[in-house]
Amino acid sequence: CRLNAEGDHFGNSVAVSMLTAVVGSPGRGSATVYRKLFALDGTTTWEEEAALVPGIGHSSADGFGVAVAVASTATGVVALVGANRDLSQAGSAYVFTRSSGVWSQTAHLFAQEAPIDRGFGAAVGMSDGVAVIGASSATGGSAHVFTEVDGSWTQVAALKANDTIPGDGFGTSVSVSSTTIVVGAPNGTRGVGS
């Protein structure tokens, strides 16, 4: 466990699912996993379980931890962490899986058509084996949908709004629940948002 320091931006992003919480620290280039524990006297506490960091070649300047999501699945708990400045600013996202109490990186996701929309990974969402990753950029933005089958993640769609114009910010925020995906565009409709 490391104490947070100025510039870590601990809490820049947060997500919770069941008994697991993930907190992003893009200034430090990490995400911290907490697990809820129950005591015999009925009290509960949150204990740090792991610090997630990507593999070799990673820098805190990559923005790792700018966005986080976590989902409890039939096979365990999966965390998704965005790194919107990774890969020469194109961005990427990392999948981590908890198995037998140990967290490990199981996938590195990036847009198939990158770098059309830079900033991939600025927003992430996850539910039931589906991951949605936003790529808000000057070209209007997009949201990329990945599905997981037997531990392998595959991009199945790249979403764009029909009326997106440069600067709309489509993909700035994303959320997914079962078969419904919502994508935010805070500058859409001439700055009103959509």
Side-chain angles (χ1 to χ4, degrees):
C1 171
R2 177 186 110 124
L3 294 177
N4 297 310
E6 185 176 344
D8 282 354
H9 302 290
F10 179 83
N12 185 83
S13 56
V14 295
V16 65
S17 178
M18 306 287 285
L19 305 177
T20 304
V22 181
V23 180
S25 302
R28 176 172 42 181
S30 70
T32 307
V33 179
Y34 294 89
R35 183 142 175 101
K36 189 173 187 178
L37 303 175
F38 297 88
L40 293 175
D41 65 2
T43 61
T44 60
T45 58
W46 287 89
E47 182 177 283
E48 183 176 329
E49 184 175 56
L52 307 179
V53 293
I56 298 170
H58 165 68
S59 158
S60 62
D62 292 342
F64 181 88
V66 70
V68 297
V70 62
S72 299
T73 68
T75 57
V77 181
V78 180
L80 180 63
V81 183
N84 65 324
R85 296 186 308 269
D86 195 12
L87 304 175
S88 300
Q89 303 293 322
S92 68
Y94 295 81
V95 179
F96 294 85
T97 305
R98 179 170 57 206
S99 177
S100 301
V102 177
W103 285 89
S104 58
Q105 181 183 321
T106 53
H108 186 195
L109 309 178
F110 47 91
Q112 290 177 353
E113 57 282 345
I116 294 170
D117 284 322
R118 299 170 82 75
F120 179 88
V124 298
M126 178 176 277
S127 175
D128 301 325
V130 176
V132 180
I133 303 168
S136 171
S137 73
T139 62
S142 57
H144 303 261
V145 183
F146 292 79
T147 58
E148 183 265 336
V149 176
D150 296 327
S152 180
W153 291 87
T154 304
Q155 182 175 322
V156 295
L159 309 176
K160 284 191 163 288
N162 293 342
D163 57 352
T164 298
I165 61 171
D168 277 356
F170 185 84
T172 297
S173 57
V174 298
S175 185
V176 57
S177 178
S178 188
T179 60
T180 302
I181 296 171
V182 179
V183 181
N187 301 320
T189 316
R190 297 190 174 96
V192 175
S194 58

